[in-house]
Structures are given as structure tokens and as C-alpha cells.
Amino acid sequence: MINSSASSDDSAVAIAAASAGADVVRSLYGRRLTRIDKGAGDFATAADVEAEKAIVDVIRAARPDDAVVGEEGGRQGTADAARQWLVDPLCGTLNYAAGSMLVAVNVALRDGAAAVADPFSGEVFFTDGTSAWVRRDGVDEPLAPTSATSLVDVNLDPPFINRPGFRAVDLLAHPAFVERFRPRVVSTTLALAWVAAGKRAAYVTDGADLIGSVHFAAGIALCRAAGCVVTGIDGAPAGAGGRGLVVAADAETHGQLMSMIRS
């Protein structure tokens, strides 16, 4: 059980931390930034590093006994800490470096509160672990998933670890998909927040166990709290040993996508 008072406080920490990271990302946008090569075509920028520092500073000040796992800085804090924060300071680095504003700042307390900040819209999507909201201009509104847009984001970034059993390109070419949905590819987990907010009908990605990923943990927590259907590409509950993600606004949309994936 999640203590509602502690959960509420944790969501405030998550919001403050994600907002601090978003401020850095926004302030450095458009500048020529140092790149840090990670291999296999992946890289970070100075914005990733500085945003993570800002996020960690907020968490450290509010929760000094908690551990933090950041995409850039790795694990910080004591190994036996009971609580762990997962931080992705700039999800969509390639978009950002190319001058695209489709990025997200993700902060999640494992099995608890989480926040996803859009640095350029100013929206912060957040959950206390039981309900989900979006904050715009200081006003909080509950998230209401819907499949009305018929837009489905499909992540086409490698690695494709579940091929040939699952290939995202095959899903996009499925006759039933073409008839029912329209694909979108944003290459950032901001798309998960959009499912929770009703801006997307669903999100699909390959991958392994993503629930403990710094990239996906905040978005998954948000979608679950908003009432979305969240499973792996095999239809099993997302979790340890899971395979990718299928996150849908409702059961009907999820069922349609699973039928296409299985066929």
C-alpha cells in the first residue's frame, strides 16, 4: 500500500525535479553543445548532463536518503537504500540535437510517484501512484485517456530484440492497422504521456523489461495511474522478464493491436 500523504509529497518532488530538468533543457535549446559518444550511434549532450544534475540536486535536497539512478550519472546513493529514483534527463536527445522540440524529462520513484515534463509546451504530467494529472500554467487537470484520435506511436529505434517474432514495421504494414489507425513516430517517451492524456490512442515498442528503465518508468507509471492498458508485446503484464510495451487508452484498442501483433 502507498501512504497517500507520503505519495503526495513524492509527487511534488517528482514534479519539482522534472521541472528543474526541463528548465535546463529549454535554456540550452538551439545552442552548439558538446556531445558525449556512447557508441552504436548513441550520444548524450551537455544538456543531458546538466539537466540530470539539476534533477538530482532537487531529489537530494528533498530525499537525501534515497538512491538515484540516472541515465548519464548511473547510480548514486547507498546501495541498500530502500527507495530509488529513476531519471532520464532528456528523452529524445537525437531529436533535440537536430533542433526538434519533441523531447521529455522523466523522473520516477520506483513503485511510486512520477513526473514527465515537456520542456517546450510547459506541461508536466504526473502521478502520485494512484491518480494521474497534467499541470498547465499552474492548473492541474486529471488525465483522461481516449482512443478518439486513432493515432498510434510506434517506436522504430533499435535494438529489435524480439525479431523475427515481432517487428514494428510489420505492424505498420498490417492491413487492419492501416484501416483502423494512423501511425506516428516521435522517438521519445513523451508519447507515453500523450496516451495517458488522450493525445494518442496507443504506443508500441520493442524491448526487454522496460518497467525498470530510466526511459520508460515514469511514462508507464503515468499510464497505469490514468487507467490505460499496459502490457508487453506478448500481452503479459509489463514487469520483470517482460517483452516490449503495448500501452493503449482502452481495452478495445489494446485488443485490436494485440490481434495484429499476434497475426
Side-chain angles (χ1 to χ4, degrees):
M1 296 293 291
I2 298 174
N3 180 280
S4 59
S5 176
S7 177
S8 176
D9 290 343
D10 286 336
S11 64
V13 174
I15 292 167
S19 297
D23 287 345
V24 173
V25 170
R26 188 169 51 253
S27 70
L28 295 179
Y29 177 74
R31 300 188 187 184
R32 187 181 296 275
L33 299 173
T34 302
R35 296 192 182 192
I36 302 104
D37 182 34
K38 296 183 176 182
D42 192 15
F43 63 89
T45 70
D48 299 67
V49 175
E50 292 304 315
E52 184 167 307
K53 288 179 180 177
I55 292 167
V56 172
D57 283 347
V58 171
I59 296 173
R60 278 275 167 267
R63 298 289 186 269
D65 296 327
D66 292 357
V68 178
V69 177
E71 181 182 9
E72 310 308 331
R75 185 183 177 98
Q76 302 177 48
T78 60
D80 59 350
R83 294 163 29 111
Q84 183 181 83
W85 293 85
L86 304 173
V87 174
D88 182 358
L90 178 48
C91 187
T93 299
L94 184 56
N95 289 347
Y96 186 79
S100 170
M101 295 181 177
L102 291 173
V103 301
V105 177
N106 299 319
V107 177
L109 175 63
R110 190 182 289 272
D111 300 322
V116 177
D118 180 337
F120 299 103
S121 74
E123 295 174 312
V124 181
F125 307 88
F126 65 95
T127 175
D128 59 4
T130 56
S131 59
W133 303 74
V134 59
R135 180 167 296 176
R136 299 186 185 94
D137 299 323
V139 178
D140 296 345
E141 298 177 2
L143 294 180
T146 173
S147 59
T149 66
S150 295
L151 300 177
V152 176
D153 267 302
V154 181
N155 184 15
L156 298 180
D157 283 344
F160 310 117
I161 66 173
N162 289 299
R163 63 182 181 184
F166 171 78
R167 297 198 313 166
V169 292
D170 292 336
L171 176 62
L172 295 176
H174 195 293
F177 187 95
V178 174
E179 181 179 349
R180 171 67 178 85
F181 300 112
R182 289 293 178 269
R184 291 293 184 272
V185 180
V186 301
S187 298
T188 168
T189 53
L190 180 62
L192 280 169
W194 287 352
V195 177
K199 297 181 180 183
R200 294 289 190 268
Y203 173 86
V204 181
T205 185
D206 199 346
D209 171 17
L210 300 180
I211 197 167
S213 163
V214 295
H215 305 291
F216 290 90
I220 290 173
L222 193 70
C223 288
R224 283 178 164 169
C228 301
V229 181
V230 181
T231 72
I233 57 174
D234 54 1
R243 297 173 55 211
L245 279 177
V246 179
V247 179
D250 51 53
E252 180 181 2
T253 300
H254 183 268
Q256 291 173 334
L257 288 168
M258 288 307 308
S259 177
M260 297 172 203
I261 290 170
R262 287 166 175 157
S263 65

